[in-house]
Amino acid sequence: MKSSLKNKKATCDKKSCDAHALGPNEANVQKILAKADRPLSAYDIIPLMGKQLKHPVAPVTVYRALEHLAEHGIVTRIESRNAYILCKHPHEEHDCLFFICRTCGKATEAPDSKISRLLRHEATGLGFGINKQILEVVGLCKSCAGKAAPATKKTA
């Protein structure tokens, strides 16, 4: 966990961010997201942060921390869920491909440069400039698919 925080601070520094810009609120949000098994919305984070700090936390505090972390590539927003997840490659400029389980909500980041290159090529052909790609693919994760499979099998 400590090395993860150091990596995030290094990302902030690398992106011309003041060394003290990763404040306590950002660090707390980052720790909460690091422990989460799925992307979390700001309203998921608020009670967890309040419990961690032992006092109520205003929504604006969490939103500002998430905004700062997103600006510096430390977290990525899952648009379809209005939720956030730690970026697995914060030191690299890259497009994101997320596989999101429709049952448990788990999101797995899989940066795939082939898909990114294909979309950028198509966009160029259309005269469209892409700033950043965040692709979301919804389906069933291995665990949830395994749980669903027995229910669909017919018994003889």
Side-chain angles (χ1 to χ4, degrees):
M1 176 67 97
K2 287 183 181 179
S3 67
S4 176
L5 188 56
K6 286 180 185 176
N7 289 342
K8 304 309 177 196
K9 285 184 179 180
T11 299
C12 195
D13 292 340
K14 180 180 177 186
K15 295 188 177 200
S16 302
C17 185
D18 180 57
H20 301 289
L22 186 62
N25 293 331
E26 290 85 357
N28 285 324
V29 168
Q30 181 187 358
K31 286 176 189 174
I32 289 167
L33 288 171
K35 291 178 184 176
D37 61 351
R38 62 180 175 80
L40 299 176
S41 71
Y43 281 91
D44 292 329
I45 295 169
I46 291 167
L48 297 171
M49 192 164 160
K51 184 177 177 182
Q52 188 179 61
L53 298 175
K54 297 181 174 77
H55 63 78
V57 175
V60 69
T61 301
V62 173
Y63 279 110
R64 284 182 183 154
L66 286 168
E67 181 180 342
H68 181 256
L69 292 169
E71 284 174 1
H72 296 286
I74 298 168
V75 301
T76 301
R77 183 168 182 252
I78 305 287
E79 301 285 336
S80 66
R81 304 280 193 241
N82 194 23
Y84 296 82
I85 189 168
L86 285 180
C87 182
K88 288 193 174 192
H89 308 282
H91 299 359
E92 304 169 14
E93 287 295 324
H94 68 285
D95 297 315
C96 300
L97 170 60
F98 289 102
F99 291 95
I100 305 167
C101 180
R102 69 173 185 253
T103 301
C104 69
K106 182 178 178 182
T108 303
E109 181 181 353
D112 185 326
S113 59
K114 292 177 195 172
I115 293 172
S116 178
R117 282 193 305 269
L118 176 65
L119 290 173
R120 288 187 183 279
H121 176 76
E122 291 297 319
T124 300
L126 296 169
F128 186 83
I130 296 176
N131 295 330
K132 181 170 182 160
Q133 299 175 53
I134 300 175
L135 303 174
E136 301 176 21
V137 179
V138 179
L140 285 175
C141 68
K142 186 176 183 178
S143 176
C144 290
K147 291 174 189 171
T152 60
K153 289 182 180 178
K154 293 182 182 179
T155 55

